[in-house]
Amino acid sequence: MILAVDPVPWARAQMAFTLGVHIILVPLGVAWAFMILVAERKAMKHGDADARLLARRWSKVLAVTFAVGAVTGTVLTFEFGLLWPRFMGRFGDAFGIPFAIEGLFFFLEAIFLAIYIYGWDRLSPRAHWWSGVPIVVSGIGGTASVIAANAWMNQPAGFRLNAAGKVVHVDAMKVIFNRAFPYETAHMLVAAYLVGGFLIASVYAVAMLRGRRDRYHRLGFLIPFTIAAIAAPVQMVVGDFVARAVFHDDPTKFAAIELVSKTGTHVPETLGGYLDARGRLHAGIRIPDAASLLSGYSTSTKVQGLRAVPARDRPTFAQVNTVHLAWDLMIGLGSALALLSVWFGVTWWRRRDLPRTVWFLRAAAVSGVASVAALEAGWVVTEVGRQPWIVHGFMRVPQGATTNSGVWVTFLVVVGVYLAVGVVTVLVLRSMARRWRAGFDISGPYSPDPPMGPS
Amino acid sequence: MNLADLVAVVLFGAITVYAIFGGADFGAGFWDLFAGGAERGARPRALIEHAIGPVWEANHVWLIFVLVVLWTAFAQTFASIMLTLFVPLSIAALGIVLRGAGFAFRKVVPEVSEQRVFGVAFAVSSVIVPYCLGAVVGGIVSGRVPKGGQAGDSWSSWINGSSIVGGLLAVTVCAYLAAVFLACDAHRLGESDLVGYFRRRAVGAATTAGVLALVGYFVMAEDAVHLHRHLTDRALPLVIASTVCGVVALTLLLRDSVRPARVFAVGAVATVVWGWGVAQWPYLLPTSMTIEHGAAPDGTLIALVVVTVIAAVVIVPSLGLLYVLDQRNSLELGQARAPSITTEN
């Protein structure tokens, strides 16, 4: 009835695409609630009307992005079964546990977000503010839970297989607190605040570039940008720690990151460059000894090369190039964002103001897109770098995939629907901003708010 | 009762809650779809919007919880279901996206024409998703999903008598619950004409559901033998309880006592879901895979029980708080207003 096509590449593409979309909404869900609470607290303490208006409007936009995030997250839940049923069938006993905990956090998040958004003017200011706190907590907990599951795919633990390969014993604590859990979680949480901060600040940077430099826009820039500017340098430290942990825990991934073909000492750090079909390095700038130095604090640190592992158990050279390129992109953008943060920090420390040059705002205006690109790149590093495994060392991706040959159809439909939803989300948010600028409140029949009238 | 049975009870509990609260949200979309043009449907739509706006996301999480418990506790069975019923489940997943996005967007766009587009996306998918989920249940109870992480037939597994009845019944039950809930909300908000509006629809949906249940009974006699047999023996008390609740709810609705009717409507639906569970016991997949054989190792099941206890201690009171605030009008406008005028104040 439907053209039969090998489902594996399509399942891969669909999972990558839907995760790639969802991951953009994650920083908003996780970090924005925190920023809203910062603004609302400012409003409560100092009677700051601008801060209050910001908190109110942000919470309305968050309601929209959270809804889109909730439904795209639901698709991922379905996809674990629809695309990877044989993976779930064999390892769901262990892999599923962190998701059960994530379910609790998702519940809390949805419940208190509703109370918060619909509770403006209905709850006392204190009660309203406190109703936002569980959103922040559950954003952090939910992220940690999902990352625990991803970390488990990289460093599987807490289960025993019988001779037939069936999971026969599970230790839930060891599943959750696997080796990669602490560093992957720290990295993603900081990333959520970093990306969320830059993304929201960039909207206000654009507005300021267009001449809207009133206190309202300035505050809308400063709250998220300050949070991002704290997160960016912290991420440099965390990232450095993560790289060393990957060096110890997953030498193959590390070799892909560093483009190391043959095991050796005094390994250079290669910027750019690629491996050809035979694994030889071309192009790129080499910093002598740097990879060895960074991974083991000594130029004579031995770095395991890709060839130490049989070809069928490691990423292909094309995948290695993807990992390396994504790594370079993440590091490059991350460093640039950290520099931008330092620039802001030093200027603020010296004269309590933004850098005066328009170039600062221009840089801040692209920081949102740049941070999203860094986030996506980092995710490519961890996922492509695990290939060909879905559960590292235990199950290969094709072994976990569905056998339904119609996946190419769902892939095309999903891409179509997501593009439409993505475009409409952006259009709707822009139209909300336009109406706010024109002095109207978004209240109407469906809004939780009483009308405020032109301001 | 062993650990596996306990987790199966948790799973069914979550399915029940989802059927009631998530179901009512889907049903609200059903009535939104059939509320007529922008002008005529304005007030019922505004009421629907107010009723489900604050709660639908929280109610939706029960579905995630059901899927997660299923794949963690009964992984192979989950794999079989997802492999076999790939088509309706894919449609359901996409429907959920369109529904949530449509609902969220409709709230914030200014033009009636835009509201209409998003409203249609929301309302149409609110009918398709429960149909698909009901059809999936039909495929499972009629034994069309093979055990052991194997794929059954991609088409006949959900295009068959049990699935069609299951799908239609799911849509009808959702519409029924929604109409009863909306009549109560209208009553609470003092919109007396809307009380009558939804009361009439509740009576219509209840009657349809009753007829469909009867049709289902005869379809299952041939098509879902195991379930049919046990619905008439060990699950019979639940079937009777459901019928009694349904009749009482109907009587109360006809007498205009919408608030007490709500309790019995919920009872009627909850007992049906439990009737299904009791009749299907001890099978996950009738009649090839039992709960005991399909269950995960004890370490996993204990983790799920712990999560359930935390949910009972933390989530249930939080949900309660949300519902109480909602019902006290602490979370919305005092009355439903006509839509379409959003930028003028």
Side-chain angles (χ1 to χ4, degrees), chain A residues 66-67 71 74-75 77-78 81 85 88 93 96 100 107 114 118 122 170 402 404 424-425 428 435 440 443-446 451, chain B residues 49-50 54 57 60 68 71-72 75 79 82-83 86 96-97 105 107-108 118 297 299-300 330-332 337 339 342-343 345:
Chain A
F66 183 78
V71 293
T74 305
V75 170
T77 309
F78 274 84
M88 296 307 290
D93 311 15
F107 255 128
Y118 287 84
R122 300 274 151 184
V170 173
T402 181
N404 276 308
V424 170
T425 305
V428 164
R435 274 177 293 147
F440 294 116
S443 55
Y446 301 140
Chain B
E49 194 89 29
H50 279 287
E57 274 160 323
H60 169 76
V68 168
W71 85 39
T72 310
M82 298 307 265
L83 267 166
F86 179 78
I96 286 166
V97 172
F105 294 152
K107 240 194 266 266
V108 292
F118 295 130
T300 306
S330 294
L331 297 179
E332 56 187 328
R337 289 188 290 143
T342 49
T343 53
N345 308 301

Side-chain angles (χ1 to χ4, degrees), chain A residues 1-2 60 63-64 66-68 70-83 85-86 88-97 99-108 110-116 118-120 122-123 166-172 401-404 406-407 410 413-414 417-418 420-421 424-425 428 431-432 435 439-454, chain B residues 42 45-46 49-50 53-65 67-69 71-76 78-80 82-87 89-90 92-94 96-101 103-110 114-115 118 133 149 151 154-155 293 295-300 303-304 307-308 310-311 314-315 318-319 321-322 325 329-334 337-345:
Chain A
M1 189 178 285
I2 283 178
K60 283 186 185 177
V64 175
F66 183 78
V68 177
V71 293
T72 54
T74 305
V75 170
L76 295 173
T77 309
F78 274 84
E79 281 177 342
F80 280 122
L82 292 172
L83 302 177
R86 292 186 294 157
M88 296 307 290
R90 195 166 150 212
F91 287 107
D93 311 15
F95 179 71
I97 292 169
F99 285 101
I101 296 163
E102 195 265 345
L104 295 179
F105 286 115
F106 186 23
F107 255 128
L108 276 184
I111 292 166
F112 283 94
L113 191 70
I115 293 176
Y116 186 84
Y118 287 84
W120 281 104
R122 300 274 151 184
L123 302 174
K166 186 177 153 44
V167 174
V168 286
H169 176 83
V170 173
D171 181 336
T402 181
T403 47
N404 276 308
V407 181
T410 61
V413 176
V414 161
V417 170
Y418 270 50
V421 170
V424 170
T425 305
V428 164
S431 119
M432 287 169 80
R435 274 177 293 147
F440 294 116
D441 190 39
I442 312 239
S443 55
Y446 301 140
S447 155
D449 255 22
M452 297 198 328
Chain B
R45 286 204 177 95
E49 194 89 29
H50 279 287
V55 294
W56 76 269
E57 274 160 323
N59 293 339
H60 169 76
V61 183
W62 287 105
L63 174 63
I64 309 282
F65 194 74
L67 288 171
V68 168
V69 172
W71 85 39
T72 310
F74 309 109
Q76 285 254 308
F78 172 76
S80 294
M82 298 307 265
L83 267 166
T84 306
L85 295 155
F86 179 78
V87 180
L89 287 165
S90 294
L94 281 169
I96 286 166
V97 172
L98 291 176
R99 176 170 181 271
F103 186 74
F105 294 152
R106 181 169 77 171
K107 240 194 266 266
V108 292
V109 294
E114 296 169 337
Q115 291 180 353
F118 295 130
L133 297 179
S154 309
W155 301 99
H293 276 98
D298 282 356
T300 306
L304 285 173
V307 166
T308 307
I310 297 172
V314 180
I315 304 301
S318 303
L319 271 174
L321 176 68
L322 175 64
L325 288 173
N329 301 342
S330 294
L331 297 179
E332 56 187 328
L333 289 171
R337 289 188 290 143
S340 86
I341 310 157
T342 49
T343 53
E344 300 166 23
N345 308 301

